Amino acid sequence: MREQTSVKQSSTSWRNKLINPVLNKEFKLRMRTPKAMWTLFFYLFAIGLMAFSAIYIVEINTGGSRSFNPEQSKVLFYFLSFAQLGLIAFMAPGLTAGVISGEREKQTLNLLLTTQQSSATIVLSKLVSSLGFMVLIVVSTIPVYSMVFLYGGISPKQLILVFLFYLFVMLVLGSFGILFSSMFKRTMVSVIVSYGVTLFIFGGTALIYVVLMSTTDRFYTYNANTYSWIGHVLAWNPAGALYSILDPEFTDQAYRIYGQPIATNKQPLALWKEFMMIYTCLSILALWLGIRSLRPRMKKN
Amino acid sequence: MLQNNDVEIISVERLKPTSLEPAPTEKIEVPMIEIRQLTKTFGSFQALKSIDLTIPKGTVFGFVGPNGAGKSTTMSILATLMFPTSGTAKVDGLDVTKYPNEVRKRIGYMPDFFGVYDQFKTVEYLHFYGASYGIPKSEREQLIPQLLELVNLSDKKDAYVDTLSRGMKQRLCLARCLVHDPELLILDEPASGLDPRARIEMREILRELKAMGKTIIISSHILPELAEMVDEIGVIEHGQMIAIGNVADIQNRLRVKRFLHIRLLGREDEAEHFLRDRPLVNRLLRDERGIQIHFGGQDAEQAALLNELVAAGFQLVSFSEAQTNLEDVFLEITKGGDGFE
């Protein structure tokens, strides 16, 4: 047997800090399963199908004209962008809600928790690994998006902004997924709660906005020079925020509704900016809670 | 941050039992495990009730008791996976609740049920845990082949973990426990579910680890087989330690029932009635080999029974105490539980 081996602390080299053992393991194991390949395949298949369907519909609407109107290209881009957002909303909770509870169910978590890896390292590594896979999937859809460049009407800057927004949405939904995965022992519960929260973020906030808008519509008259507080509700919605990136005037429209006027006429903050501020705070909170929930804490019974 | 002052050094006076000289004060090391008034409750259920336990360094400690007695809870607390409701648990002088990271460096924990990452190769599995304990790659490259050799898995180093048998996975998990060379091994049922051959292999490995001077706390249903390598035993039931000591002492102290085997030359029916009337005979079994009785007395009562049988004119071919093993003793003292593990 070996001589007494001193347990040394991890090397402080940047590589070791960047790729810690848990992250290395997550990357390696994720890509070794056929599930990764099938996820990628079905995602690309879905987005490709949507893109070609959209082109087909536009072609029909233009009466089979060989020319392509840049405005129609814009519509195609919008359609693809929202479709991609929907797919991300569908994918992110599924990829993150089981990463910790799954280890708990497979009975590997306790072994991991007795190593020198901190709770933060474990949770953040799992998030980064899941995000890495999601980024791989989303980036692999770029060729589909590039079709819009054939017709013009969309700038590369807009495309980059949209992809950065996707990255942020994945981070947000991933953080929530990780939190529930850490909080709940059963993956099934974690997945249900994660999808429930995602549904609320996408559907619930939109519904609240619509209800508030239609309710206040009865009591207040339209005032073109004021903004309503109801617009802030839409800042909680990723689809609303995305649309404000695609069409900067949308923010103004969202606030300038039939509603209770606010005191100031100051131009409201762009929906996507407000969205990022809100969800940055919520994501940090979710990750903090997730890290705290991973290991037992002293409880005075 | 851990300060040197935080590590408690305990001076223990050990009395030499047969010495005319005043016993010298011997300064010894901090015990590897020191548990004081450890209590753990889950809602209204009290899993541990003020347990006290001290295990010196280098000791192999057997932890036995029926299912749900509190063995795994105690081990989980020592492994920093669970916090006690009250009381203290120290590993090498370090409180598990205050210095969990320092404690984790010192322990190798093998739970009763564990999973493995199936997509890893055996060698990758050990590399992962080695890296998780902060062992540099160059050091791991040398260490891992030695660990695989210790657990007899050298020929499986490139095999995927999911292709290993249950016994191999158990041994791999044991190798994982050793990857950072811990001073204390906490092994919760390391041989559960193994076939006799795999049990023997596991026992041999544990023997080697004992020879290396590791402190081992082990709960196992193969404890009777391990009796010769275990230095001390603790018996736990319903969250309470009901006996602690070396194997022989416990066996003697807890032997509440003897199994006597009697062979007669005829008159078996009369002898059966005669024995059934004796107050210390708890149970009687009769077969072609003779009569077996569960006897509640000690040596003196046993001798008296023999005299009575002879005085009554029975012709005895043999009158002997059947060999009881540790398992019989544990079964007897833990009969209130769900069963013996």
Side-chain angles (χ1 to χ4, degrees), chain B residues 136-307:
Chain B
K137 194 178 179 186
S138 57
E139 211 170 304
R140 294 198 308 264
E141 300 280 8
Q142 294 179 332
L143 168 71
I144 288 170
Q146 292 170 337
L147 283 173
L148 288 172
E149 197 181 324
L150 176 76
V151 298
N152 300 323
L153 286 175
S154 295
D155 56 330
K156 295 283 180 186
K157 69 184 170 69
D158 290 321
Y160 280 97
V161 173
D162 66 344
T163 64
L164 301 181
S165 68
R166 172 89 189 253
M168 287 174 184
K169 283 180 185 171
Q170 297 276 85
R171 290 189 329 239
L172 179 64
C173 191
L174 190 59
R176 180 201 60 80
C177 291
L178 295 166
V179 78
H180 59 301
D181 196 23
E183 297 162 64
L184 170 66
L185 291 173
I186 301 169
L187 310 177
D188 196 358
E189 302 282 357
S192 68
L194 298 186
D195 60 38
R197 176 77 208 156
R199 280 186 186 190
I200 290 166
E201 285 173 347
M202 181 63 80
R203 197 172 65 196
E204 290 308 312
I205 296 166
L206 292 175
R207 201 169 271 142
E208 279 191 56
L209 293 173
K210 184 190 180 186
M212 286 175 202
K214 303 276 182 203
T215 308
I216 304 173
I217 175 165
I218 178 171
S219 72
S220 174
H221 60 277
I222 59 163
L223 205 71
E225 295 174 36
L226 298 176
E228 74 276 18
M229 64 166 283
V230 174
D231 301 310
E232 284 191 18
I233 276 177
V235 184
I236 186 169
E237 192 182 17
H238 298 309
Q240 287 178 309
M241 292 295 286
I242 54 175
I244 304 174
N246 70 50
V247 179
D249 281 352
I250 293 261
Q251 207 162 2
N252 287 332
R253 208 181 329 148
L254 297 178
R255 183 178 290 159
V256 292
K257 196 179 280 182
R258 293 172 183 220
F259 300 90
L260 302 180
H261 186 240
I262 302 165
R263 275 185 64 210
L264 296 145
L265 212 58
R267 296 175 64 196
E268 279 91 354
D269 292 338
E270 277 182 66
E272 187 182 330
H273 289 298
F274 180 85
L275 286 167
R276 283 194 193 279
D277 290 340
R278 304 299 105 184
L280 292 173
V281 174
N282 298 319
R283 199 170 161 212
L284 188 143
L285 298 166
R286 196 174 151 193
D287 57 26
E288 67 280 1
R289 291 174 298 167
I291 298 170
Q292 279 206 50
I293 58 170
H294 289 195
F295 187 64
Q298 298 296 317
D299 286 351
E301 290 83 5
Q302 190 177 325
L305 179 67
L306 176 61
N307 285 337

Side-chain angles (χ1 to χ4, degrees), chain A residues 45-59:
Chain A
F45 182 77
I47 201 94
L49 195 68
M50 285 184 206
F52 284 110
S53 304
I55 291 170
Y56 180 70
I57 291 164
V58 170
E59 285 285 330

Side-chain angles (χ1 to χ4, degrees), chain A residues 2 5 8 32 103 107 296, chain B residues 117 119 124 134 139 143 178:
Chain A
R2 67 197 166 106
T5 308
K8 293 179 182 173
R32 279 186 183 177
E103 287 233 20
Q107 297 173 323
Chain B
Y117 301 112
Q119 277 81 37
E124 288 174 331
E139 211 170 304
L143 168 71
L178 295 166

Side-chain angles (χ1 to χ4, degrees), chain A residues 1-11 21-22 24-26 28-29 32-33 103 106-118 295-301, chain B residues 41 79-85 97 101 104-105 109 111 113-117 119-120 124-125 128-129 131-135 139 143 146-147 160 176 178-181 212:
Chain A
M1 181 57 190
R2 67 197 166 106
E3 294 294 312
Q4 187 81 0
T5 308
S6 61
V7 178
K8 293 179 182 173
Q9 289 303 311
S10 294
S11 163
V22 181
N24 191 26
K25 178 211 81 160
E26 290 291 318
K28 207 178 263 185
L29 295 188
R32 279 186 183 177
T33 58
E103 287 233 20
K106 281 191 291 180
Q107 297 173 323
T108 50
L109 187 65
N110 276 353
L111 303 182
L112 194 56
L113 293 180
T114 53
T115 67
Q116 291 295 295
Q117 299 301 307
S118 66
R295 281 196 164 98
R297 278 169 290 132
M298 181 60 98
K299 284 178 186 169
K300 295 285 179 193
N301 290 7
Chain B
T41 55
T80 73
L81 292 170
M82 199 181 274
F83 280 93
T85 305
T97 60
N101 270 339
R104 283 179 206 129
K105 284 181 191 169
Y109 173 60
F113 298 105
F114 64 89
V116 286
Y117 301 112
Q119 277 81 37
F120 264 150
E124 288 174 331
Y125 181 81
F128 164 62
Y129 280 103
S132 297
Y133 280 107
I135 301 169
E139 211 170 304
L143 168 71
Q146 292 170 337
L147 283 173
Y160 280 97
R176 180 201 60 80
L178 295 166
V179 78
H180 59 301
D181 196 23
M212 286 175 202

